[in-house]
Amino acid sequence: MNKRQASQRPTLRTIAQMSGLAVTTVSRALADDPHIAQDTREKVRKLADEVGYAPDRAAQRLRTGKTNVISLILNPHDEILGFGTSIIRGITAALRGTPYHLVVMPDFADSEPMEQVSRIVRNHLADGVIFSRTEPDDARIRYLLEMGFPFISHGRSELATPHPFVDYDNYAFARQATERLIAAGSVRPAILLPPRRFTFANHQLHGFMSAVREHGVAHEILTDITLDSPGEQIEARLLARLGLPGAPDGLVCAGEVSGLAAIAAAVDSGLVPGRDFHIVVKQTSTLFSHVRPRVASIYEDLTEAGEHMGHFILRRIAGEPAEALQFLQVPPDPAETPGDTTTRAPF
């Protein structure tokens, strides 16, 4: 930006002159001060949009000590289709109309989980942070609690100190999925788990084991592959296993890529999905609505999760206690959708 462009950049004074209001009134209106009349706030925001006003964040940070930034540390799940898009959509909806904007920081599998979090806190790059894929003794959660830094985790830990979270009831998912396999005729269901270091892997294992023990059926926990394994590796491992004696006749898949790999392996083994081999998938996109033959699925609403996390991080920044900022999404009750093989929310 050259000097002429900088001098033409709209400021609070520009909006004040256009509206006939004082500069301090304009500033408070843009900050959504409830002491400023609603119609005045709307008028000022409309003028700001028209002239393309954007706050000087460097000056704002010096003045208030706040960045007005929420950092999302996003692991690009290849397995969970639409994970990032859905989470971002939900958080953005929650932040709309507030001074905060979202900055996404990718977190790849080979990176150190603590690195991003400590850098955000150390350099005060944001006022709050959101992250996922929690572990029972999560170092990020312990660190942020010790530092008193606002955060929301997508997933829980087993730490004694309460922390804010939004999570999906993976115990209920795995139990319900296993019971549906058994109801469909499966006598040896199996489960493909996430990497065991994650909390939600333990929840899924507990739900699966509760169902098979209650019904007294044989079962199998697949080894050598996890939910994070590449699709082709999952397909090859399942294809080899289905060709051996005592192979499972049903599978719980907590992701859509693994579900497609399971269908491919079953078909290549000469099995008919839904008749010889039963599958229940956790659905996070519209993909399985178009798969034939139809495969039973249980829906996880990631956009709703993102929206809850967005609202929670704002409330945490405002000082609300962790105990008030905990939300567990529960899978829909299959009894609510009789005759439907898919349990999901409307897209």
Side-chain angles (χ1 to χ4, degrees):
M1 180 182 291
N2 58 40
K3 291 182 179 180
R4 183 177 178 183
Q5 287 174 319
S7 66
Q8 293 175 343
R9 178 178 177 177
T11 64
L12 292 175
R13 188 172 299 279
T14 306
I15 301 171
Q17 291 172 346
M18 294 174 66
S19 63
L21 299 169
V23 172
T24 53
T25 303
V26 170
S27 177
R28 291 169 62 194
L30 288 173
D32 209 25
D33 187 335
H35 293 99
I36 303 297
Q38 180 66 32
D39 58 346
T40 301
R41 282 180 276 164
E42 291 176 358
K43 175 183 176 181
V44 169
R45 281 197 294 267
K46 183 178 179 182
L47 286 172
D49 290 341
E50 287 177 357
V51 300
Y53 170 78
D56 186 332
R57 297 198 179 276
Q60 192 176 58
R61 179 172 176 177
L62 287 172
R63 185 175 66 256
T64 66
K66 289 189 174 183
T67 64
N68 285 343
V69 169
I70 303 298
S71 285
L72 170 63
I73 301 176
L74 184 65
N75 185 287
H77 295 278
D78 293 330
E79 164 59 36
I80 304 176
L81 299 178
F83 178 84
T85 303
S86 298
I87 291 287
I88 291 169
R89 183 185 298 118
I91 297 173
T92 301
L95 300 184
R96 191 172 294 122
T98 76
Y100 286 92
H101 68 285
L102 186 67
V103 171
V104 179
M105 306 176 73
D107 178 34
F108 294 100
D110 59 350
S111 63
E112 169 55 47
M114 275 295 300
E115 182 180 339
Q116 298 265 38
V117 168
S118 60
R119 187 161 65 89
I120 290 169
V121 175
R122 188 172 58 251
N123 299 314
H124 196 187
L125 301 178
D127 298 330
V129 62
I130 299 171
F131 55 90
S132 63
R133 310 205 100 192
T134 55
E135 300 180 12
D137 183 21
D138 200 293
R140 299 167 299 177
I141 293 176
R142 281 192 285 105
Y143 170 75
L144 290 165
L145 287 171
E146 290 168 4
M147 297 300 293
F149 193 87
F151 73 92
I152 305 293
S153 62
H154 185 222
R156 289 167 283 172
S157 73
E158 294 179 3
L159 296 170
T161 305
H163 67 85
F165 67 79
V166 172
D167 199 6
Y168 182 77
D169 193 339
N170 279 284
Y171 168 87
F173 158 75
R175 183 181 178 94
Q176 185 185 125
T178 308
E179 288 175 341
R180 293 177 70 177
L181 289 176
I182 295 168
S186 176
V187 296
R188 189 180 174 83
I191 187 169
L192 175 62
L193 290 169
R196 295 292 290 274
R197 69 181 184 276
F198 296 126
T199 309
F200 77 118
N202 297 330
H203 294 163
Q204 287 185 16
L205 178 60
H206 186 197
F208 176 75
M209 293 304 299
S210 295
V212 296
R213 285 170 177 164
E214 181 177 317
H215 291 273
V217 297
H219 62 277
E220 184 170 337
I221 300 164
L222 294 175
T223 58
D224 303 329
I225 50 173
T226 72
L227 201 64
D228 283 3
S229 300
E232 59 271 17
Q233 185 178 338
I234 294 173
E235 181 180 344
R237 173 71 178 85
L238 286 173
L239 183 60
R241 180 67 191 92
L242 292 175
L244 297 175
D249 60 359
L251 184 65
V252 176
C253 296
E256 291 166 309
V257 172
S258 59
L260 291 174
I263 291 172
V267 171
D268 288 350
S269 297
L271 305 174
V272 177
R275 188 191 71 188
D276 310 314
F277 190 78
H278 304 284
I279 304 169
V280 178
V281 174
K282 183 193 286 187
Q283 185 170 355
T284 55
S285 75
T286 60
L287 178 65
F288 269 80
S289 300
H290 310 293
V291 170
R292 300 294 183 273
R294 289 188 179 277
V295 172
S297 64
I298 299 173
Y299 184 63
E300 178 180 3
D301 193 334
L302 293 171
T303 300
E304 180 193 48
E307 194 159 356
H308 276 289
M309 288 190 287
H311 287 303
F312 278 7
I313 194 65
L314 295 176
R315 291 166 58 186
R316 186 61 172 158
I317 290 169
E320 286 199 37
E323 294 87 342
L325 305 173
Q326 298 176 340
F327 177 73
L328 185 65
Q329 289 180 301
V330 179
D333 186 344
E336 296 175 358
T337 52
D340 187 3
T341 60
T342 302
T343 305
R344 57 180 174 80
F347 290 108

